[in-house]
Amino acid sequence: MEDLKKIFAEKLLAIQAIKLQPNAPFTWASGWKSPFYCDNRKTLSFHDVRSFVKLELTHAVLAHFPEATAVAGVATGAIAQGALVADELAMPYAYVRPKPKDHGMKNQIEGELPQGAKVVVVEDLISTGGSSLKAVAALREAGFEVVGMVASFTYGFSVAEEAFKAADVPLVTLTNYQSVVEKALEIGYIKPDDVPMLNEWRNDPANWNK
């Protein structure tokens, strides 16, 4: 039977959540140029895929972080996924902004988690890991214990792997870049000629297309 990473990769490809534009690269928030883009937020628009993500992220929490007592989503991409997982687990939920609001209550963590909660963080996508780990830092500064993170997709960049290791945050993802590329080749979503260019980008994304 095909493993989870390939199954989810095929679902992402089926709803066109994966975009390949080598001639008109995307620009990420980090400033990196990329021919490859994964928009996990599209999964929210399709009931079967949305349910799949909810249940598989929930299974990941139960399997890897059974000590968790609360869930936090990373704004904005994982607000909805986090809420779905928290609902399935019947746990308290909050979401974490990139920075505190500059008005009103000036909150960075929106919602209320029990004092001393063991929090599992839900993220939609891991690229460099910067925004994800900022959310972890905010939760820790607020006095919560972060037991780990679950995410739908990771590019698997070494810079992210090193950052998560340094921050002591275990990460579990439903699929990854390699599985998506392999499945895309299998079903003809991309051509074999595309792979060298994708590998060139994947090996040095910060300097690709400069």
Side-chain angles (χ1 to χ4, degrees), residues 154-168:
T154 180
Y155 286 98
F157 295 130
S158 58
V159 63
E161 292 175 352
E162 290 165 7
F164 273 83
K165 185 176 181 180
D168 193 22

Side-chain angles (χ1 to χ4, degrees), residues 4 18 24-25 28 155 165 176 184-185:
L4 171 65
I18 305 296
W28 289 357
Y155 286 98
K165 185 176 181 180
N176 53 37
L185 269 173

Side-chain angles (χ1 to χ4, degrees), residues 42-172:
K42 287 192 73 172
T43 63
L44 296 170
S45 301
F46 301 86
H47 175 257
D48 59 331
V49 186
R50 184 174 69 237
S51 294
F52 179 90
V53 172
K54 174 185 71 173
L55 293 175
E56 293 303 335
L57 287 176
T58 298
H59 293 160
V61 172
L62 292 172
H64 298 276
F65 310 110
E67 70 274 35
T69 60
V71 179
V74 180
T76 58
I79 291 176
Q81 284 95 337
L84 289 167
V85 171
D87 191 58
E88 192 70 18
L89 291 167
M91 288 184 183
Y93 176 68
Y95 70 85
V96 187
R97 296 176 177 275
K99 59 183 181 180
K101 288 196 299 184
D102 59 5
H103 59 280
M105 298 292 289
K106 299 185 177 180
N107 293 333
Q108 184 170 4
I109 300 172
E110 297 286 7
E112 186 171 338
L113 300 178
Q115 187 174 2
K118 296 178 185 293
V119 181
V120 62
V121 179
V122 176
E123 181 63 289
D124 70 322
L125 179 144
I126 308 294
S127 55
T128 63
S131 58
S132 308
L133 292 174
K134 282 181 182 177
V136 170
L139 289 162
R140 286 173 169 169
E141 287 171 14
F144 302 110
E145 179 184 349
V146 175
V147 297
M149 183 179 297
V150 295
S152 294
F153 176 87
T154 180
Y155 286 98
F157 295 130
S158 58
V159 63
E161 292 175 352
E162 290 165 7
F164 273 83
K165 185 176 181 180
D168 193 22
V169 180
L171 172 65
V172 178

